[in-house]
């Protein structure tokens, strides 16, 4: 079996979110336990397995594992895996690659940015909005004051395949001070469907970005994730739904990972079409290593 290591949502090598992609002969015969063991060995937020080099119903079958369990969907693994399929399996330029994931088929499209960079875009499932929480609950989990939260918007669970608790903060200072209280977190998630917490604020490290974000997922074996495409898809839907930027039209740059020395850039687009919100998340992918298992 072959493997590739890529940095996703990265502007340069050794930034963004790392991903190991396992592909080639033998992957289809791996058991669930063996896939989990390989994911633990790689020890990134996620490792993906391309289980066939041929398409089924137009898409390539892919499975996604964290060091603790399999996921039905995740953002940066979707983009990074589509990139490896194009580069190493198809071996030619294509406009779109479709991945068959547990949540269904997810298309990934290549587009050129104004700066001439190749950006991969994925259209996520329509976001669903469910449970809301009071500020005092998340304040104790995140070691923050209630005044740190932006009370114009709800703390709410949003999902495009994986549920995230979306938490609006007022300032970059609050975002940087956030720290998971593991005892309170463990108590909190006993009663929640969503186990991952995504916090954001409108103050940024760089003036050409509009949002700064962090994502905590200890329950997945990921204390903090440097770039979370699935959570940012939920954020895009949230921003549209609540007209955070004045309307349902969202076209922004989100920075993430700065607090753990993995600066990342995610591009978000969303809008309401009828009663549904259409969400797209984009970014760059860079190969940093290849090898054989």
């Amino acid at each position: 079996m072959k493997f590739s290591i890529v940095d996703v949502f990265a502007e340069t090598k050794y930034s963004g979110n790392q991903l190991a992609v396992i592909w080639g002969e033998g992957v289809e015969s791996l058991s669930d336990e063996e896939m989990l063991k390989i994911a633990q060995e790689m020890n990134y937020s996620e490792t993906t397995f391309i289980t066939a080099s041929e398409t089924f119903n137009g898409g390539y079958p892919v499975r996604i594992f964290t060091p603790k369990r399999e996921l039905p969907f995740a953002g940066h693994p979707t983009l990074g895996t589509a990139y490896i399929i194009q580069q190493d399996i198809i071996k030619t330029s294509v406009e779109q690659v479709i991945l068959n994931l547990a949540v269904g088929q997810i298309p990934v499209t290549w587009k050129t940015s104004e700066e001439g960079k190749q950006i991969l875009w994925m259209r996520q499932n329509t976001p669903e909005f469910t449970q809301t929480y009071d500020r005092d609950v998340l304040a104790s989990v995140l070691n923050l004051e209630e005044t740190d939260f932006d009370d114009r918007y709800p703390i709410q669970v949003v999902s495009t395949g994986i549920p995230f608790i979306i938490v609006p903060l007022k300032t970059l200072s609050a975002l940087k001070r956030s720290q998971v209280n593991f005892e309170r977190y463990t108590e909190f998630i006993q009663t929640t469907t969503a186990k991952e917490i995504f916090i954001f604020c409108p103050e940024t490290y760089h003036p050409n970005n509009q949002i700064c974000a962090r994502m905590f997922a200890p329950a997945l074996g990921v204390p903090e994730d440097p770039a979370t495409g699935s959570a940012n898809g939920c954020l895009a839907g949230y921003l549209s739904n609540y007209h955070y930027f004045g309307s349902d039209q969202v076209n922004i740059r989100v920075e993430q990972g700065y607090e753990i020395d993995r600066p990342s850039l995610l591009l978000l687009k969303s809008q309401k079409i009828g009663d549904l919100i259409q969400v797209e998340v984009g970014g760059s992918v860079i190969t940093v290593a290849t090898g054989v298992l």
Side-chain angles (χ1 to χ4, degrees), residues 226-261:
T228 319
S230 50
N232 272 276
C234 296
L235 174 64
Y238 177 100
L239 298 175
S240 282
N241 192 56
Y242 293 109
H243 290 200
Y244 190 88
F245 291 105
S247 79
D248 65 282
Q249 301 279 329
V250 172
N251 186 358
I252 63 169
R253 295 160 56 98
V254 175
E255 57 188 31
Q256 188 183 335
Y258 283 73
E259 293 74 23
I260 53 173
D261 299 320

Side-chain angles (χ1 to χ4, degrees), residues 130-142:
T130 54
Q131 180 71 41
T132 59
Y133 297 98
D134 293 332
R135 286 175 293 166
D136 62 327
V137 176
L138 271 298
S140 65
V141 172
L142 295 170

Side-chain angles (χ1 to χ4, degrees), residues 29-280:
S29 63
L30 289 173
S31 67
D32 293 2
E33 183 181 3
E34 287 171 323
M35 288 185 184
L36 183 59
K37 287 292 186 184
I38 292 171
Q40 291 169 345
E41 180 72 13
M42 294 300 179
N43 203 34
Y44 294 144
S45 299
E46 284 98 5
T47 296
T48 62
F49 299 83
I50 304 169
T51 58
S53 296
E54 303 293 334
T55 58
F56 294 88
N57 297 321
Y60 290 86
V62 173
R63 299 179 67 180
I64 304 171
F65 283 79
T66 76
K68 286 200 170 183
R69 66 181 179 90
E70 185 172 8
L71 295 180
F73 172 71
H76 91 275
T78 297
L79 291 190
T81 305
Y83 179 81
I84 292 302
I85 289 170
Q86 186 227 44
Q87 292 284 306
D88 296 313
I89 295 178
I90 301 175
K91 295 183 180 180
T92 186
S93 295
V94 293
E95 292 185 357
Q96 180 175 269
V97 168
I98 296 174
L99 270 57
N100 295 342
L101 303 177
V103 296
Q105 291 194 320
I106 301 293
V108 177
T109 305
W110 274 252
K111 295 181 182 177
T112 303
S113 70
E114 294 178 359
E115 297 81 17
K117 286 185 177 181
Q118 285 292 300
I119 304 295
L120 281 72
W121 288 91
M122 61 181 160
R123 179 167 297 176
Q124 298 187 11
N125 290 338
T126 301
E128 298 178 354
F129 299 81
T130 54
Q131 180 71 41
T132 59
Y133 297 98
D134 293 332
R135 286 175 293 166
D136 62 327
V137 176
L138 271 298
S140 65
V141 172
L142 295 170
N143 282 324
L144 291 174
E145 303 295 328
E146 289 187 41
T147 54
D148 288 321
F149 296 83
D150 189 341
D151 58 10
R152 296 173 299 170
Y153 305 98
I155 299 169
Q156 187 168 27
V157 175
V158 185
S159 176
T160 64
I162 293 180
F164 291 88
I165 302 168
I166 306 296
V167 182
L169 301 178
K170 292 178 181 177
T171 65
L172 184 59
S173 171
L175 184 120
K176 291 165 71 173
R177 282 187 282 109
S178 298
Q179 187 175 9
V180 174
N181 180 316
F182 291 102
E183 182 178 348
R184 296 287 176 84
Y185 170 82
T186 302
E187 293 174 1
F188 173 61
I189 64 170
Q190 299 307 310
T191 59
T192 65
T193 302
K195 314 297 183 187
E196 292 72 59
I197 301 174
F198 186 81
I199 65 177
F200 75 96
C201 73
E203 296 181 354
T204 57
Y205 286 89
H206 296 289
N208 55 340
N209 300 331
Q210 289 76 45
I211 292 286
C212 188
R214 300 177 70 183
M215 201 285 284
F216 306 108
L220 293 180
V222 183
E224 181 168 355
D225 197 39
T228 319
S230 50
N232 272 276
C234 296
L235 174 64
Y238 177 100
L239 298 175
S240 282
N241 192 56
Y242 293 109
H243 290 200
Y244 190 88
F245 291 105
S247 79
D248 65 282
Q249 301 279 329
V250 172
N251 186 358
I252 63 169
R253 295 160 56 98
V254 175
E255 57 188 31
Q256 188 183 335
Y258 283 73
E259 293 74 23
I260 53 173
D261 299 320
R262 294 290 303 191
S264 307
L265 177 66
L266 302 97
L267 308 177
L268 273 56
K269 292 180 181 179
S270 62
Q271 62 179 335
K272 283 190 175 179
I273 300 178
D275 294 330
L276 303 178
I277 299 176
Q278 181 177 291
V279 170
E280 292 182 276

Side-chain angles (χ1 to χ4, degrees), residues 1-3 22 38 41-42 49 291-293:
M1 294 176 291
K2 299 176 182 178
F3 71 88
I22 315 300
I38 292 171
E41 180 72 13
M42 294 300 179
F49 299 83
V292 176
L293 282 171

